[in-house]
Amino acid sequence: DDVSYRTCMNAWAVSKEVGSAEKTEALLKRYIEMCGMCSSNGFNLVLKACATSPPSDGSNPFGVAVKIFHQMRDSDDPKVKPDHASYSYMFIICNKHLPDNHTQRLQIFKKLFRECCEDGMISSFVVDAMRNSMPRDLFDKLFKLKENATVDDLVLNDLPA
């Protein structure tokens, strides 16, 4: 049943165990096979597991996250589309699982930000995740903050659409 699956998925998501992303994804697949499609909450539990999963040679939390996020974006079901938590987890995942010298790291941050704005999903959770995940100069540039400005200076109407 729904509560049992989500409880198990959340337990794996917060476990910080190697392989927890893959185990949470497997539970999501089983849930979908049994019950039909799941809402974004179930997909977000997989992203949460990817965000808390330690980097390891034996697992691929970043790969799992990209696959899940694309499934959400490509879904025709509006209940499955990424929400503000999905974007927040993706910023955290990129920061944790992409090395600082990864050639596409900054481009991925920019693309996620653009899609988040287009989807109208900017929230305090997203802003905090971005601020803690990317270089300060990129954060300032994306939010068009002037020198020495703080997050408190953000104005919702000034955000890109």
Side-chain angles (χ1 to χ4, degrees):
D1 99 307
D2 184 58
V3 174
S4 299
Y5 267 94
R6 285 193 302 171
T7 301
C8 289
M9 290 170 66
N10 191 57
W12 275 114
V14 299
S15 72
K16 299 180 183 174
E17 294 287 325
V18 172
S20 61
E22 290 84 354
K23 290 176 180 158
T24 309
E25 180 188 25
L27 281 171
L28 176 66
K29 285 180 184 177
R30 282 182 43 203
Y31 175 82
I32 291 171
E33 288 170 7
M34 287 182 55
C35 305
M37 190 43 77
C38 184
S39 72
S40 63
N41 293 334
F43 288 85
N44 282 340
L45 286 170
V46 178
L47 295 178
K48 181 179 182 179
C50 295
T52 61
S53 186
S56 163
D57 292 337
S59 70
N60 184 10
F62 183 75
V64 171
V66 169
K67 180 171 46 170
I68 289 296
F69 192 74
H70 282 292
Q71 282 179 315
M72 294 174 80
R73 286 202 54 88
D74 295 342
S75 176
D76 293 328
D77 185 345
K79 291 183 244 161
V80 176
K81 292 290 189 188
D83 60 16
H84 75 108
S86 312
Y87 284 102
S88 299
Y89 288 132
M90 286 303 296
F91 283 111
I92 294 165
I93 291 161
C94 289
N95 183 50
K96 186 171 189 175
H97 297 291
L98 285 179
D100 289 342
N101 63 353
H102 189 282
T103 57
Q104 296 297 309
R105 182 181 167 98
L106 297 181
Q107 293 306 318
I108 291 169
F109 281 138
K110 290 176 188 177
K111 182 177 185 205
L112 277 172
F113 176 71
R114 186 182 70 248
E115 291 173 354
C116 186
C117 289
E118 288 169 359
D119 291 348
M121 293 297 156
I122 296 291
S123 70
S124 60
F125 188 20
V126 171
V127 172
D128 287 343
M130 289 178 67
R131 183 180 52 210
N132 295 320
S133 297
M134 63 180 58
R136 175 64 197 242
D137 61 330
L138 177 59
F139 179 85
D140 291 352
K141 181 179 176 185
L142 292 174
F143 283 106
K144 299 177 182 160
L145 290 175
K146 295 182 177 30
E147 191 173 333
N148 298 321
T150 68
V151 166
D152 295 329
D153 297 320
L154 284 175
V155 177
L156 185 61
N157 292 337
D158 292 343
L159 295 176

